[in-house]
Amino acid sequence: MVRTAQSGEFIEGVDDQMTPEVGHFALALALALALVQSVLPILGAKRRNILWMQSARWSAFGQVLFVTVAFLALMQAFITSDFTVKNVVENSNSLKPMLYKVAGTWGSHEGSLLLWTLILTVFGAAVALFGSNIPQALKARTLSVQAWISVGFLTFMLFTSNPFDRVFPPPSDGQDLNPLLQDVGLAMHPPLLYFGYVGFSIVFSFAVAALIEGRVDAAWARWVRPWTLAAWMSLTAGIALGSWWAYYELGWGGWWFWDPVENVSFMPWLMGTALLHSAIVTEKRDAFKSWTILLAILTFSLSLLGTFVVRSGLLTSVHAFAVDPERGLYILGLLAVSIGGSLALFAWRAPMMEPGGLFKPISREAGLLVNNLILTTATGVVLFGTLYPLFYEAMTGGEKLSVGPPFFNAAFIPVMLPLVFAMGCGPFLSWKRADLPGVLQRLRFVALLAVLGTLAVWYLAEGGPVLGYLSLMLAFWLFMATVREWTMRIKLFEGPVSTSWRRASNLPRSAHGMTLAHAGLAVAMFGFIGSTVWKSEEIMFVQPGADISIGGFDVRFNGVERVRGPNYFADRGELTVSRDGKYLTDLFPERRTYPVAQSTTTESAIRSTLAGDLYASIANPASEDASTQGAWTLRILYEPLVNFIWIGSAMLVLGGGLSLSDRRLRVGAPRRKAAVTARVPAE
Amino acid sequence: MIWLVFAALSTIGLLFVGLPLRRRSEMTSVMADTTPAVLLDQLDEVKRDLERGVISGAEATAAEQEIKRRILMQSRKTAQATKELTSGGRFAIVLSAMFVPAFAFGYYAVMGSPEIPGIAFSERTAERQETAKVADLTNQLYDRLTTDPSGGPSEGWMLLGQTYSRMGRFADAAEAFGIVAKRPEATSAVFSMLAEALISAEQGVVTPAAVTAIEHAMELDPSNPAAVFYKAVALRQKGDIAQAHDLLVRRLNNADSFYPWMESFVAEANRIGTEIGRAPISLANFAPMVNAPGPTQEDIENAQDLTVEERQAFIMSMVERLAARLQDEPDDLDGWMRLGNAYSVLGDREQAIVALERAEILLSEAPQNDPRRQTLKEALARMRQ
Amino acid sequence: MRHVIIALFLLLPVMAFAVEPDEMLQDLVLEERARVISKELRCVVCQNQDIDSSNAGVARDLRILVRERLVAGDSDEEVIAFIHARYGDYVLMRPPFNASTLALWLAPFVLAVVSLLAGWAIILRSRRKGVVADFSEVEEAEIARFIDINTPKDN
Amino acid sequence: MGRILAFIPLAIAAVFGGFFLWGLNPDRDPNNIPSVLISQPAPQFDLAAIEGLETPGLSRADLVDNAGPVIVNVFASWCVPCRAEHGILTQMVEKDGLRLFGINYKDKPEDATKWLAELGNPYERIGSDLSGRAGIEWGLSGVPETFIVGPDGTVLFRYVGPVVGDEAIARFREALEQAGALPRGQNG
C-alpha cells in the first residue's frame, strides 16, 4: 500500500523513469509496422498499385525508428542501472565500468536479439533509402520479404525473450555480466558480426523477391552486389575481431578453436564469399542464375542456423546463451518457415530460369565455378562436422561423440588449399575462353618465386610439417600472382610510371578491391601458418628475479603486485623483456578476480611486432608445495607472424570497401535531372 | 503521462503508414525501370576495357553482341509490360494505418506493465542507505551479542536470527537461533524458527539437525503451527506422505479460528495430497465459521481452482460474513480479535484497528491476567505504528 | 539441471592455466608427446575444450595420468586407448574411424566428388556451341532505339 | 532433371530440420555423457577408509558377490548439490534397506568427517579418493554421480548429478527396480 503511493510519485516524476515501458511499446509498434509492411507492398507489386508499393518505404523507416527507440531505451536502462528491468538485473551491476554497461545492452540473449532486429530493420531502411536504382516492384517485394523476417524476430523477442520484462520491487543490485565478456574487443564483436550475419538477410530478401517475380538477370545481380559486399565486409571484420579477442583474452594464444559457435559464423562467411563471386558471373555473363539465388538463400539460412544453434542449446559450446528449449522450438519454426519456404519457392521457380551465357572449360567463368564449388564443399564439411555429434546422437539413441579441431584441420585445410591455387590463376583468365598457354607463361615466374620463397623459409626455420610448407608455398603463390596480375593490368615496368599511374587510376575500383582482398588472404595465410607451425611456448613456476629465454628474447620476472580495478582486483605480474642485453619493454599480465560474478579472467600482456608477438599470461600456482612457495605460474608464448592474420583480415575488409565504392554499383540511380527524363517511355 | 507518450508514438507510427497518401505526383518518376541503364553501362564498360587494352577486339565484339541480345530481350519485355499502374487502394492504406496503433495498444494492454516505474540506480541512495543501515545495525548487534560475557540476551539472538533470515542469510540465522535453542528457556517457537532456518539454508532439504529441532519444537508445543508444518515437510521428504497430510489436516481441524498460516497449510496439504490421491481440502472448511452458515458445497468446489486474487476475495467474503455476524453479536470478544487479525492479514489497517478497539473495550472487563490482553496490546501497537 | 551445472562448476578450481608446470615432465621428448596427446583428448566436463587447454580438475587429473602412462612406457596410441576405455568415444577430439563415423570421415570426399561431378556437368553444358546469329536489320534498329531512348540527355 | 535437382536443397534442409527437432526434445541433455561402464564389470580400484572415520574403505572386491544390487555414490563435502542429495540417499538406506557405498572424491578427511557428522552417515563403506584416480577409473565427469552395481559387480546404471527432485528420484528408483533392488511397481 505504501509501495503504490511511491510508484505513483515515480510515474509522475522524471521522463526517463518510464523508458523501459516506452521501449516495450515501441517494439509493439515496430511489430505492427512490420506486419503492415509484410502484406501491403507485395500485394501492391502484384496489382501494380503504386501507393501500396510506396508504403514499404515509410514503414521500413518507421520500423527502424521504433526498434531504435527500444534499443536506446534498453541501453538507457543499462546505463542508469535500472534494476526494475530483469535483463539489466541479470546482466549488469552498478559497479561495472560504463563501457561495459553500454555493451551489456547486447550482451545477453534478449539484448542481442534486439540488436539483431535493429540491424535487420536498418538494412531494410537502407534499401528503402539508397536503393533508388532498384525497380519499384522488386524493391516493394524485397522489403515485404524483409518485413516477414522482422515479424518472425519481433514476435520471437516479444513472446519468448522480452528484453523489457520487469521486476518490482527491484533487487538491490544486479548480477554481473560474465567477466570474460567484459572486454573492448568483445563489446564491439557482436555488433559487427551481426551486421554481417543479418546483412545477408537483405540479400535473401532480394533472392526471394526475384523468385516471386520470376526474374533474375544481370541488372538484378548488380543491384544485389553492394548489399552482399557490405554484409560480407562486416562479417569478415566481425569474425576477425572475435578471433582477435579469443587470442588475447582467453590466455591460450590461440585464435581459432573450431567451436560450434565459431563454425556457425564461419559458414555464412564461406557461403557469402561464394555468393559474392557467383554474382559476378550472373552480372557479367547472365549465367549461374539459379545458383546465385540458391547461394543467397543458403547464406542467410546458415546465418539463421547460427542463431538457432547459439540460442537453442542444441550443441554445447563455450559461447552459447542460456539454454531454453521453448526458444529453440520457436526459432526452429522460424527456420522451417523461412528456409523451408524459400527453398520450396526455389525448387518451384529455379527450373524456369533461362540458361545463361556459354563458356569454355578454361575461362573466368570456370575459375569462378571452381571457387564456388570449393567454397561450397568446405561449407559442407564444416556444417557436417559441426552437426555430426547431433546426428550421431540421434542415430545411436544417445551415444555421444566429439568432433574437434583435429577433424576440422584434417578435412577443411586440404579442401581449401586447391582454392588458394585457383585464386592465383583466376584473375588472369578472360571471360568465355582464356588463353591457357599465355596465362601459364605469365605465371611461370610467380611459381618460381613461390618455390624459392618457401625454400628460403625452410632454410631459415628449424623444420616443420610438410603441410605447413605446402601451405606456405601456396600463400607465396597467391600473393605473388595477385601482385603480378595487378602490375600487368596497369602495365607497371612496361612504360613510364606516369602511364601506369594513369592506368591505375582509370581501373575500376572493384579491380583494386579484388587485388587487395586476394592479397589480404595471402597475408592472413602467412599469419595462420607462422603462428601455428613455428609457435613456441614456455610454462613454468617462477620466483621473482627469474630469467626466461624464448624466441630470442630474454624475459625477467620481477614479481607480482596486487592492483584494484573498478569491479575487480588483480594480481599483476611485472616482466622486463630484452634482447641481446638491450631493454625492449615491460609486460604486465594480470589475473583478475571479479567478486560479484565470482570468477576470474586472465589478461595477457603482449609485445606486438610485425615479426611476431611475445605473449605473457600469469596465474598463481594451484598446488602449494613447499618447493614452489611464493612462485607464480607464468606462460610465455612466441607467436611468429600472428599479426599478419589481422592485417590480412583488414585488407579483406578494405578490399571489399573499395569494391563497394565502385561507381558501377550505383548505375541507374537517378541523378535528379536524369530521373525526370527516365520516365516510363510511352510506347 | 506515460499514455501520452504512447499516444504520441502511435501517432508517429500511424503517420509512417499513412505518409504515401500525401505526395502523389512524384511517384511515377520513381517507377522507372533501371535495367536499361545497367545494360548501357555494361556496353560502355566493354568500350572502356577495349580502349584500355584489357580485352581484345574479338572479345569486345562478342561481349557487345551478348549485351545487345539482352537489350533486345529487355526492349521486348518493356513493350509487353503495358499493364497500367494503378494508384487506388487508399482505403487499405488508411485501414493499415489505423491497424498500427490498434495493434500496439492491444498488445501492450495484455503484455505491458505501465504501472512499474523505471528507477535508476542513482535514485536509490535512500534505499541503499537503508539496507546499509540494517546491515550495519545487524553487525553491531552481532558484535554486542558475541562480546557479551553472559552470552547475550536471548531476545537479542532471536532478533538477529530473524534479521538474518529476512536477509536470506539462513546459515547465519540458524547459528543465531541455535544459540538460544541451547538455553533452558528456549520455547517451541525458537526451535521451529531454527528448523526453518536450517531447512532454508539447505534449499528445502530437511537435514537430521533440522529434524531434531522440529522434534524439540513439537515436544514443547505440539500445536505450534510452524513446527507442525515443518514436521509435515520432514515426513513428506521421508516418504510418509499420508502421515504428513494427516498431520496438516489435523492441525487445521484443531484451529479455533482463522489464522494467516492456514493458507499455506491448505496449499501444502493439497500439493502433497494430489500425490497420494487425497481429495483437495478447502480453506473455507477451517475458516472462522463458528456460528455463521458454513460454505456450501459449491463454494468449496469453486475455491479449489481459484487464482491468488480470487482466493483473496474469497477470504475477504468470509471475513465480511464474520463482520456481519459480529454486528449482531457485538459481545463476542474472540470474534472481534479474530476479525482484527484477519483484517491485518488482508492489509486493511484501519478496519483492523477498529475491530481491535472493539475487542479492547470488551477486554477491559476481563481479569487482569487474561493472556489475551497482552496479545491485543501487541497487535494494536503493531497496527498503529 | 541447475544442480548439474553447479556440480560441474564446482569441479573448476580457481582459474589456473591449463597445463601447470608441476605436471610437466623433465623429459622434453615425453613432455612434447604428452602435449600432443592432450590436444587429442576432450575435457569431459567442459564444452569443446581439449584437456590441454582446460583448467578443470578432471582435465588436470587426466593430463597427469597421460604423463604417468608415458613414463610407464606406453605408446601414444596406448595412452589414448587407456582413456578411451574409461570415457568412451566422447573423449576423443578426433572421432575414431569406425562404422558409425564412416559418414563423417567420408563426407569431405563425397562432397568433393559431388562438387567435381557438378562442375564437370556444368562445364559440359556450357561449352555447347551456341547459335551465334547476327542481328537482323529490324533488331539492330530496335537496339539502337533502345539505346537512344535510355541514354541520359542532360549533357 | 533440373526439376529434381532443384528439390535437393529443400530435401536436405528437411532432413536437417528433423534432426534439429529431435535435438530439441526436452528429455535430451546435451551435457550428459553416456558411460562406457554400463553392462561392464566395475573398474578396478582400492581405496582406503577416510582417515579418522570408522567406516571401512572401499575396493572393487566389495562390489562383487553381494546378495543384491548396491549403490555407489560419489560425493564430496565441497559439493553443494551433494548435501541436497544426501537426505534422499539416507532415506533409501533407512526406508528401502538399500546398501550404499561411497567414494569420497578429492576431499580432505577432516572436512568429510565433519560433513558426515553433521548430516549423518548412511554409507556402509567409504573409500577416500584423494587423488581423483578412482574417479577416472569410473569415468567420472563431475560430483555427485551415483552408480548401481549388480551382485556380480556389473555396473547397471549411472546417474550424473544429484538425485534430487521428483523426476530424478523417479528415474533412479526405476533403475533400482530394474536392477532388482526394489520390488517392482512400488513407485506408482
Side-chain angles (χ1 to χ4, degrees):
Chain A
M1 326 308 108
V2 181
R3 192 182 299 155
T4 9
Q6 273 176 354
S7 29
E9 281 163 24
F10 280 124
I11 288 171
E12 267 124 62
V14 199
D15 281 358
D16 59 52
Q17 279 169 351
M18 56 198 184
T19 40
E21 288 307 308
V22 170
H24 192 178
F25 190 77
L27 279 185
L29 278 170
L31 176 57
L33 280 173
L35 284 168
V36 171
Q37 190 188 325
S38 56
V39 178
L40 261 194
I42 197 160
L43 279 183
K46 188 163 172 53
R47 297 189 177 183
R48 299 184 66 75
N49 181 314
I50 189 102
L51 269 181
W52 294 7
M53 284 196 265
Q54 279 278 297
S55 78
R57 181 181 169 85
W58 287 101
S59 41
F61 294 159
Q63 268 191 66
V64 93
L65 173 79
F66 290 127
V67 179
T68 307
V69 166
F71 189 75
L72 290 179
L74 186 64
M75 191 180 275
Q76 156 91 352
F78 267 93
I79 289 173
T80 59
S81 293
D82 182 346
F83 294 122
T84 59
V85 179
K86 199 167 147 215
N87 195 24
V88 180
V89 179
E90 284 167 359
N91 298 289
S92 193
N93 180 275
S94 59
L95 293 176
K96 200 158 68 163
M98 185 48 82
L99 176 67
Y100 303 123
K101 282 186 184 168
V102 176
T105 315
W106 56 79
S108 65
H109 161 75
E110 290 83 1
S112 66
L113 205 58
L114 185 54
L115 179 67
W116 222 103
T117 316
L118 176 63
I119 295 173
L120 191 74
T121 54
V122 163
F123 270 93
V127 167
L129 188 63
F130 300 114
S132 44
N133 58 341
I134 304 166
Q136 190 75 33
L138 177 66
K139 192 156 78 175
R141 288 194 171 101
T142 303
L143 287 176
S144 267
V145 177
Q146 187 80 354
W148 299 348
I149 309 173
S150 267
V151 169
F153 275 87
L154 280 168
T155 47
F156 176 48
M157 183 160 43
L158 287 175
F159 297 116
T160 73
S161 345
N162 191 342
F164 295 107
D165 272 345
R166 307 298 297 275
V167 190
F168 202 89
S172 56
D173 208 332
Q175 299 141 20
D176 214 342
L177 181 72
N178 182 350
L180 267 184
L181 306 182
Q182 295 190 20
D183 174 273
V184 188
L186 202 71
M188 290 323 295
H189 168 55
L192 269 176
L193 201 61
Y194 285 8
F195 250 97
Y197 250 37
V198 186
F200 282 116
S201 67
I202 199 75
V203 185
F204 171 88
S205 300
F206 267 112
V208 172
L211 282 175
I212 294 173
E213 207 165 80
R215 180 188 132 169
V216 180
D217 53 22
W220 179 87
R222 197 177 268 199
W223 295 320
V224 173
R225 216 168 118 69
W227 304 102
T228 317
L229 260 172
W232 179 87
M233 280 165 63
S234 313
L235 190 57
T236 309
I239 294 176
L241 209 65
S243 128
W244 178 58
W245 168 78
Y247 169 71
Y248 81 90
E249 173 76 20
L250 294 184
W252 301 318
W255 34 262
W256 193 261
F257 301 97
W258 293 109
D259 184 87
V261 170
E262 289 174 335
N263 293 349
V264 296
S265 71
F266 191 42
M267 288 188 280
W269 187 84
L270 288 169
M271 273 280 147
T273 312
L275 170 64
L276 214 51
H277 290 87
S278 146
I280 298 176
V281 185
T282 308
E283 181 191 332
K284 290 274 189 188
R285 296 295 324 282
D286 214 20
F288 291 8
K289 285 191 276 198
S290 37
W291 179 240
T292 303
I293 293 276
L294 182 62
L295 282 178
I297 293 175
L298 290 182
T299 304
F300 184 60
S301 300
L302 287 171
S303 298
L304 284 175
L305 179 78
T307 303
F308 172 65
V309 165
V310 177
R311 293 164 202 270
S312 66
L314 196 66
L315 300 170
T316 59
S317 161
V318 192
H319 311 273
F321 286 106
V323 176
D324 187 335
E326 187 198 333
R327 288 175 186 167
L329 269 179
Y330 199 103
I331 314 184
L332 186 61
L334 241 140
L335 250 65
V337 172
S338 55
I339 302 178
S342 56
L343 287 179
L345 190 64
F346 176 81
W348 175 36
R349 290 288 188 131
M352 299 177 197
M353 302 223 186
E354 303 146 17
L358 305 177
F359 56 91
K360 292 283 174 196
I362 303 290
S363 61
R364 178 74 68 91
E365 288 92 329
L368 290 169
L369 179 67
V370 167
N371 152 303
N372 271 231
L373 291 175
I374 292 181
L375 284 171
T376 313
T377 308
T379 313
V381 168
V382 178
L383 181 66
F384 205 64
T386 308
L387 296 177
Y388 196 76
L390 177 73
F391 297 165
Y392 181 80
E393 201 185 326
M395 310 276 248
T396 57
E399 292 291 305
K400 297 267 173 122
L401 182 85
S402 304
V403 179
F407 170 82
F408 288 107
N409 288 335
F412 180 78
I413 295 174
V415 171
M416 287 300 272
L417 286 182
L419 179 65
V420 181
F421 176 76
M423 273 175 81
C425 316
F428 286 92
L429 302 172
S430 51
W431 294 102
K432 285 179 100 170
R433 177 195 305 141
D435 161 32
L436 187 61
V439 171
L440 289 180
Q441 171 120 32
R442 283 163 181 160
L443 283 170
R444 244 183 2 205
F445 185 54
V446 169
L448 184 71
L449 275 180
V451 172
L452 284 180
T454 312
L455 284 177
V457 175
W458 177 74
Y459 180 75
L460 289 172
E462 299 136 25
V466 182
L467 191 66
Y469 283 101
L470 182 66
S471 313
L472 189 69
M473 196 178 342
L474 283 166
F476 272 122
W477 157 265
L478 173 58
F479 188 79
M480 311 267 190
T482 306
V483 172
R484 174 83 184 91
E485 196 264 344
W486 187 71
T487 57
M488 208 184 76
R489 278 213 203 195
I490 63 166
K491 297 222 161 72
L492 194 66
F493 313 125
E494 284 174 33
V497 180
S498 59
T499 328
S500 294
W501 174 252
R502 195 172 45 75
R503 292 182 67 88
S505 49
N506 275 339
L507 212 59
R509 289 210 197 143
S510 59
H512 291 301
M514 179 206 73
T515 302
L516 191 59
H518 282 196
L521 187 71
V523 168
M525 273 182 75
F526 288 127
F528 302 151
I529 299 162
S531 65
T532 312
V533 179
W534 292 286
K535 171 176 175 169
S536 45
E537 180 178 23
E538 293 284 344
I539 304 169
M540 63 198 68
F541 283 137
V542 283
Q543 304 278 358
D547 288 306
I548 306 116
S549 81
I550 182 170
F553 294 96
D554 298 307
V555 182
R556 170 169 285 246
F557 176 62
N558 300 324
V560 169
E561 194 188 0
R562 173 59 64 100
V563 291
R564 279 199 152 278
N567 59 343
Y568 64 87
F569 56 87
D571 291 319
R572 195 174 71 169
E574 291 179 17
L575 304 170
T576 309
V577 181
S578 57
R579 179 170 224 160
D580 304 326
K582 225 179 86 202
Y583 166 84
L584 287 177
T585 186
D586 288 322
L587 291 179
F588 302 101
E590 287 181 11
R591 187 178 144 273
R592 289 187 186 161
T593 305
Y594 292 78
V596 178
Q598 295 195 328
S599 65
T600 315
T601 63
T602 50
E603 299 292 317
S604 49
I606 303 175
R607 178 183 185 264
S608 246
T609 62
L610 213 51
D613 277 7
L614 190 66
Y615 183 115
S617 45
I618 191 166
N620 64 339
S623 56
E624 289 156 7
D625 286 334
S627 61
T628 56
Q629 202 76 57
W632 293 82
T633 316
L634 199 63
R635 176 170 186 160
I636 303 185
L637 297 164
Y638 185 65
E639 301 238 15
L641 304 183
V642 70
N643 287 311
F644 280 74
I645 299 176
W646 332 125
I647 296 170
S649 307
M651 286 167 74
L652 280 168
V653 175
L654 281 178
L658 262 182
S659 252
L660 188 60
S661 70
D662 196 315
R663 56 158 285 281
R664 289 180 305 165
L665 295 181
R666 272 171 301 286
V667 160
R671 280 155 288 174
R672 297 201 184 280
K673 266 190 182 168
V676 185
T677 49
R679 207 175 278 266
V680 186
E683 296 285 40
Chain B
M1 180 61 188
I2 195 163
W3 296 104
L4 231 84
V5 176
F6 289 171
L9 279 176
S10 306
T11 315
I12 298 171
L14 184 140
L15 283 178
F16 267 110
V17 178
L19 270 174
L21 287 177
R22 290 183 64 246
R23 313 204 295 167
R24 197 177 162 192
S25 51
E26 290 171 34
M27 271 165 216
T28 39
S29 68
V30 198
M31 276 309 295
D33 189 345
T34 49
T35 316
V38 172
L39 291 171
L40 294 193
D41 183 67
Q42 286 195 324
L43 269 184
D44 269 0
E45 202 186 332
V46 173
K47 246 177 255 162
R48 283 196 302 268
D49 279 354
L50 183 65
E51 279 164 22
R52 227 183 290 131
V54 181
I55 52 174
S56 68
E59 278 173 350
T61 322
E64 244 168 39
Q65 286 288 88
E66 207 173 289
I67 297 166
K68 281 183 176 169
R69 199 162 294 285
R70 273 177 235 155
I71 287 182
L72 202 58
M73 259 160 60
Q74 176 66 26
S75 152
R76 284 170 187 169
K77 236 185 243 164
T78 325
Q80 279 167 5
T82 46
K83 205 171 157 197
E84 267 303 303
L85 288 179
T86 57
S87 57
R90 294 174 157 258
F91 183 62
I93 299 257
V94 173
L95 216 63
S96 305
M98 304 305 289
F99 165 78
V100 170
F103 176 87
F105 275 107
Y107 163 86
Y108 190 81
V110 181
M111 306 287 283
S113 358
E115 74 285 357
I116 301 182
I119 310 168
F121 190 70
S122 53
E123 289 163 28
R124 291 166 58 195
T125 39
E127 183 196 319
R128 272 206 304 286
Q129 278 165 358
E130 191 68 24
T131 321
K133 214 167 83 191
V134 171
D136 198 37
L137 284 174
T138 315
N139 289 340
Q140 277 179 23
L141 180 60
Y142 178 81
D143 287 344
R144 240 195 11 244
L145 290 170
T146 43
T147 51
D148 190 327
S150 61
S154 295
E155 295 79 24
W157 282 110
M158 290 311 285
L159 179 62
L160 186 67
Q162 280 161 326
T163 317
Y164 278 144
S165 277
R166 233 170 289 143
M167 293 160 85
R169 292 164 61 178
F170 298 112
D172 292 333
E175 210 168 299
F177 292 137
I179 288 172
V180 187
K182 287 199 194 85
R183 295 182 177 170
E185 74 264 29
T187 59
S188 175
V190 172
F191 281 105
S192 58
M193 281 184 201
L194 174 62
E196 183 174 66
L198 283 169
I199 292 168
S200 303
E202 299 295 341
Q203 278 147 11
V205 176
V206 183
T207 56
V211 171
T212 319
I214 295 167
E215 296 303 336
H216 277 298
M218 290 292 278
E219 267 167 40
L220 290 170
D221 178 6
S223 69
N224 176 354
V228 173
F229 185 83
Y230 286 107
K231 172 88 186 172
V233 171
L235 283 170
R236 176 183 157 4
Q237 281 189 11
K238 266 184 80 180
D240 298 330
I241 303 175
Q243 227 179 313
H245 191 267
D246 291 344
L247 191 67
L248 289 173
V249 175
R250 208 178 317 132
R251 182 65 187 88
L252 279 170
N253 280 328
N254 288 344
D256 53 352
S257 72
F258 174 78
Y259 293 101
W261 48 260
M262 292 172 98
E263 240 197 298
S264 42
F265 265 59
V266 171
E268 175 73 3
N270 284 339
R271 200 174 66 81
I272 64 175
T274 52
E275 289 176 34
I276 49 169
R278 297 254 172 115
I281 54 171
S282 164
L283 185 59
N285 292 2
F286 312 102
M289 298 316 104
V290 188
N291 289 323
T296 61
Q297 192 60 33
E298 202 181 348
D299 280 344
I300 298 167
E301 275 164 19
N302 288 342
Q304 278 149 19
D305 37 27
L306 293 180
T307 64
V308 177
E309 293 82 24
E310 285 168 335
R311 196 172 310 134
Q312 187 91 354
F314 182 71
I315 298 168
M316 197 69 200
S317 79
M318 293 293 169
V319 173
E320 272 160 14
R321 266 190 261 179
L322 174 63
R325 187 174 61 80
L326 286 172
Q327 295 300 328
D328 298 338
E329 303 168 32
D331 292 339
D332 183 353
L333 168 60
D334 285 330
W336 285 113
M337 283 185 72
R338 229 177 291 144
L339 186 65
N341 273 335
Y343 277 131
S344 79
V345 169
L346 289 168
D348 193 339
R349 213 154 75 172
E350 281 166 30
Q351 291 276 33
I353 292 174
V354 172
L356 290 174
E357 277 169 352
R358 287 294 292 270
E360 197 178 26
I361 297 165
L362 290 170
L363 201 57
S364 60
E365 291 158 18
Q368 276 303 321
N369 57 2
D370 190 315
R372 288 178 292 189
R373 275 175 182 268
Q374 188 58 29
T375 326
L376 182 69
K377 217 170 105 190
E378 279 169 14
L380 261 175
R382 209 166 44 237
M383 284 297 114
R384 282 171 176 158
Q385 256 172 16
Chain C
M1 191 56 223
R2 211 187 82 235
H3 284 299
V4 180
I5 290 169
I6 295 170
L8 296 182
F9 271 99
L10 281 168
L11 276 178
L12 300 172
V14 177
M15 177 104 165
F17 287 130
V19 182
E20 296 276 334
D22 56 347
E23 302 167 1
M24 292 165 70
L25 299 172
Q26 295 301 316
D27 184 332
L28 289 178
V29 180
L30 280 188
E31 175 61 27
E32 186 56 38
R33 277 173 60 200
R35 295 298 298 278
V36 173
I37 294 172
S38 302
K39 290 195 169 76
E40 295 279 331
L41 295 173
R42 178 180 183 142
C43 160
V44 286
V45 297
C46 321
Q47 299 180 320
N48 289 299
Q49 277 183 2
D50 52 45
I51 59 170
D52 190 59
S53 57
S54 163
N55 43 41
V58 165
R60 181 183 155 89
D61 292 344
L62 284 177
R63 282 195 302 269
I64 295 173
L65 185 67
V66 164
R67 285 168 172 82
E68 279 179 18
R69 304 297 318 171
L70 283 176
V71 170
D74 278 13
S75 71
D76 292 4
E77 290 73 33
E78 282 167 344
V79 175
I80 291 180
F82 182 87
I83 292 173
H84 183 198
R86 282 154 184 80
Y87 283 93
D89 287 350
Y90 189 70
V91 83
L92 301 179
M93 273 299 196
R94 186 194 301 270
F97 188 79
N98 58 36
S100 55
T101 56
L102 203 63
L104 176 69
W105 283 108
L106 288 186
F109 297 99
V110 172
L111 283 170
V113 169
V114 168
S115 290
L116 282 177
L117 285 177
W120 190 50
I122 293 171
I123 285 176
L124 272 190
R125 213 180 51 193
S126 299
R127 63 191 294 205
R128 275 179 320 200
K129 278 258 180 284
V131 208
V132 197
D134 279 333
F135 299 111
S136 69
E137 250 172 62
V138 183
E139 285 170 337
E140 286 283 8
E142 198 178 340
I143 293 165
R145 200 162 67 93
F146 183 89
I147 294 174
D148 183 51
I149 290 173
N150 290 294
T151 308
K153 297 180 186 66
D154 50 353
N155 43 354
Chain D
M1 183 62 192
R3 218 152 235 300
I4 298 166
L5 281 179
F7 269 102
I8 289 179
L10 182 63
I12 295 176
V15 171
F16 274 60
F19 278 112
F20 293 155
L21 192 62
W22 177 86
L24 287 178
N25 140 23
D27 292 338
R28 174 180 172 265
D29 173 8
N31 292 310
N32 188 26
I33 312 148
S35 173
V36 285
L37 284 174
I38 304 301
S39 310
Q40 299 291 318
Q44 276 302 339
F45 69 103
D46 189 357
L47 294 172
I50 296 176
E51 217 175 293
L53 200 74
E54 282 172 19
T55 318
L58 184 69
S59 70
R60 191 190 136 74
D62 301 313
L63 298 179
V64 286
D65 299 330
N66 288 312
V70 295
I71 305 175
V72 177
N73 172 245
V74 186
F75 70 99
S77 67
W78 45 261
C79 147
V80 178
C82 293
R83 291 181 88 92
E85 182 188 54
H86 190 88
I88 288 143
L89 291 174
T90 308
Q91 184 193 315
M92 283 183 184
V93 172
E94 285 174 359
K95 196 155 156 277
D96 302 309
L98 292 166
R99 295 180 66 194
L100 177 69
F101 295 121
I103 294 177
N104 186 223
Y105 184 77
K106 288 197 176 179
D107 207 357
K108 285 188 190 140
E110 55 269 34
D111 291 345
T113 315
K114 196 171 152 240
W115 195 75
L116 289 169
E118 187 187 333
L119 296 180
N121 181 359
Y123 299 98
E124 196 174 317
R125 289 174 163 274
I126 303 176
S128 171
D129 183 20
L130 263 176
S131 68
R133 185 54 50 83
I136 291 180
E137 294 291 339
W138 282 89
L140 203 69
S141 63
V143 189
E145 277 189 25
T146 310
F147 298 86
I148 300 173
V149 180
D152 56 347
T154 309
V155 179
L156 300 173
F157 182 77
R158 174 207 202 195
Y159 191 89
V160 177
V163 186
V164 169
D166 296 344
E167 200 187 322
I169 294 174
R171 264 181 64 196
F172 195 74
R173 293 191 80 96
E174 196 195 315
L176 282 170
E177 280 170 22
Q178 272 175 13
L182 285 176
R184 277 185 182 276
Q186 187 206 35
N187 199 32

